[in-house]
Each structure stands twice: as structure tokens, then as C-alpha cells.
Amino acid sequence: AISLELTGKKLYVASVASNATGDIYVAAYQDDGVDGADQFAYLLKFSSAGVLAWQKQIYWVQLSPLRNANRTFMFRQALQVGASGNIYLCFTQALNINPFPYTGFVIKFDPTGTVLWQQSYNHSTTNTMSVVSLAINSDETALYAGALANPAAGNDLSYMVSLNPSSGAINWATNYSGQYGWYSLAIQPNGNIVGAGNVLSGSYTGVAFSQFNSSGTLQWQKTYLYSVSNVSSTGVTGDSSNNIYVSYSYPSGGGGVLKVDNSGTYVTDARAFNNSPSIFASTATGDLYGLVYDAASVVAVSKWNSSLAGQWANQVTGVTPASIRAQSVSLGPSSNTTLFYGATIPGD
């Protein structure tokens, strides 16, 4: 186990990933511990033995004299590691002033932590954009980002964005106003990209997930449990047969995992009303790995098979308080034995 702490600061783990040799990368952001302002993003690299190799503090223009108003936000799929060992990181920076301008950023690092390129993204109309997720394909030729225009105002202009992995330039950006956010992305073996987020239907929030082809054309969009209760998507992944798995949770506790085929047709689902699963990783055969919270807010690292049957769950122990907020899971080079997860402990 690796403990991350900055003197006098709160450090929030957002995302974890690993390379082919088992080195571990952690995307995190800090709070100054006073008023929540002046947050910075961090990228940290550890050896497979958990030894810190290097860390990078990431920030953009300080916007003096408004420097102390800067805020940094990261989400669970903020970090991706390519087959070459290059690292891709996204975050969003905001100011605590009306009308809450947001700017999204993506940075590419080489394995030593040297910046290869860095890009900022904004919206021509709303003048604000939040980049919330990234996905890179196996040969590092396709890079996708999930983005929101004007998230502070509740605007549901969601964008799927194709970026050039060599430069960060935008290839295409497709907006879809019927879905709020693609907070989780998965690139399928056939080259399609699937994003999972939420949709507002009347007074309820439901799960929504969409498939785009590599040219940005929407193939289909599906909603699930959007008229029963408030439900939020918590992750998406796929397998070698182009099946898609979406996990979801209820605010009051409980959740499940949904499986659909490449056309979006329902296959099966597994609801666990006492547990809220979050799917973050999968193998080619459809074995799924993620995190589960129970009604007592205990978290466990878990495995399911492609039929959504639970295989095992190992509770995270030795942490006080027990109600940790786990954030991310990544498979190591040996997917049967190596898992990495990140967690943020309230109050620490």
C-alpha cells in the first residue's frame, strides 16, 4: 500500500494506471487545507515495488492576482498510459467567480515525466469546457476525451472529442445534448468508442451510454433505469467480442452492472441492491474488475465474469475511517494477479 500526503495539504486520488512493466502512475490533486482554493494537479510515478520515482506538479497560467481563486478538478478516468509508456492526463481548472469559467486541459508526458505536448480546450459559445475522461487505444493511434460545455451552469452539452495523440489537436468533436457527460470511456476492438454518463428524465437522473464510430458518427444511444429513481453511471468497459458493460449506483445505496452487445441490445444485468459497483477494467475474455461499496460504506476490490457473476471481493482493511472513497482500479501487466486501486480517505 502507498500512502500519499502533503504537509498541511489534502491530497485527493483521482485515477491510477500502470504500464507494461508494472510501474504505477497516480493522478491526484491537492487542497490547500484552508479555503479549498489554489488546488494543483499532480502526476506521480512509482516503481512496481511502490517506490516513488518522480512527481510533477501541474498548473496552468496563474492568472495573477486571481491566483488563489484557481480550482482544479479531476475525475476517475483522468489518466491513461499508452503501449509506448507515454502518459496522458486530463483535468479542469476553474475560477470561483461568476460566471464560473472552466477550461479543460490534456497533457502528454513521456515515461520520464517530460511534457511532450499540452493543450487547453474551450467552447466558442459558452466560453467554458470541462474535460472529464480520456481513452487511448492499444496501439496509441486513437485518443478520445469526454467533455462538457458549461458544467457549472448545468448545461448538458456533452462532447465526444477525437484528439491527435501526436499533438493533442482536435480531429473532430461531436456534441449530443441528450446526455449529461461521458465520465467513462471505452474503446472497442472494432474501433468504436463508447461513453457512459447520465440523462435527465423528468425529475429523475438515469444511466445513459452512447456509441460513436471512429469518424464521430453516433451509432446509438441507450438509457437505463431513467424513470424509477436517481441512478448514476459509474464506469464502462468492453471485451474482445465488442460487448459493453456499464456499472451504475443509486445515491441511497445499491446498484448493478448492465451488459449489452455491440448494437446496444440488452444481454443481461446484475443488480446488487446492497452494493454499488464501479467497473473500471476488463480482460479480453470479459472478466471485470472494479470496486464495490456496501450499505455500511465498506469498499472491496471485486471481480466478475462476463456473465456478471461475482468471482471474489476483497475488502480494503486497515484504513480508518472505514468509509473511504475509492476512485480507480487499473490492471497491471499480469491481469490475473495484479490490481492497483486508488482511494481518498475523508479527513486525511
Side-chain angles (χ1 to χ4, degrees), residues 83-286:
S84 65
N86 292 323
I87 307 117
Y88 301 82
L89 177 71
C90 71
F91 64 96
T92 297
Q93 195 171 71
L95 296 176
N96 287 333
I97 57 174
N98 200 14
F100 305 105
Y102 283 65
T103 300
F105 302 96
V106 179
I107 306 178
K108 179 180 180 180
F109 301 84
D110 71 11
T112 69
T114 300
V115 174
L116 299 178
W117 55 255
Q118 51 188 13
Q119 294 282 3
S120 62
Y121 306 94
N122 222 316
H123 191 275
S124 59
T125 302
T126 66
N127 196 36
T128 184
M129 181 69 77
S130 178
V131 179
V132 299
S133 57
L134 287 176
I136 186 81
N137 67 349
S138 59
D139 58 4
E140 216 165 327
T141 58
L143 175 65
Y144 296 97
L148 286 171
N150 204 16
N155 194 315
D156 64 350
L157 287 177
S158 300
Y159 283 81
M160 184 70 71
V161 184
S162 171
L163 303 175
N164 184 330
S166 299
S167 66
I170 295 176
N171 297 320
W172 52 257
T174 301
N175 76 295
Y176 186 70
S177 61
Q179 179 170 329
Y180 185 74
W182 287 285
Y183 288 96
S184 303
L185 302 178
I187 301 176
Q188 299 177 267
N190 58 18
N192 291 331
I193 176 76
V194 177
N198 300 312
V199 63
L200 183 63
S201 177
S203 59
Y204 294 116
T205 299
V207 175
F209 47 103
S210 307
Q211 183 192 74
F212 295 83
N213 65 19
S214 58
S215 299
T217 302
L218 179 68
Q219 305 299 289
W220 47 257
Q221 194 258 2
K222 305 291 183 180
T223 55
Y224 189 67
L225 293 175
Y226 60 90
S227 61
V228 178
S229 178
N230 287 318
V231 187
S232 298
S233 67
T234 56
V236 64
T237 190
D239 61 25
S240 59
S241 299
N242 292 303
N243 294 308
I244 299 160
Y245 306 85
V246 181
S247 57
Y248 58 90
S249 66
Y250 300 95
S252 58
V257 183
L258 170 69
K259 179 180 180 179
V260 301
D261 65 16
N262 182 58
S263 65
T265 302
Y266 172 91
V267 176
T268 187
D269 69 312
R271 300 187 193 182
F273 291 104
N274 293 321
N275 297 297
S276 297
S278 297
I279 303 294
F280 293 109
S282 66
T283 64
T285 59

Side-chain angles (χ1 to χ4, degrees), residues 307-330:
S307 299
L308 306 185
Q311 303 300 289
W312 49 256
N314 293 325
Q315 181 180 338
V316 180
T317 59
V319 177
T320 302
S323 57
I324 67 174
R325 298 193 301 269
Q327 302 290 339
S328 182
V329 164
S330 175

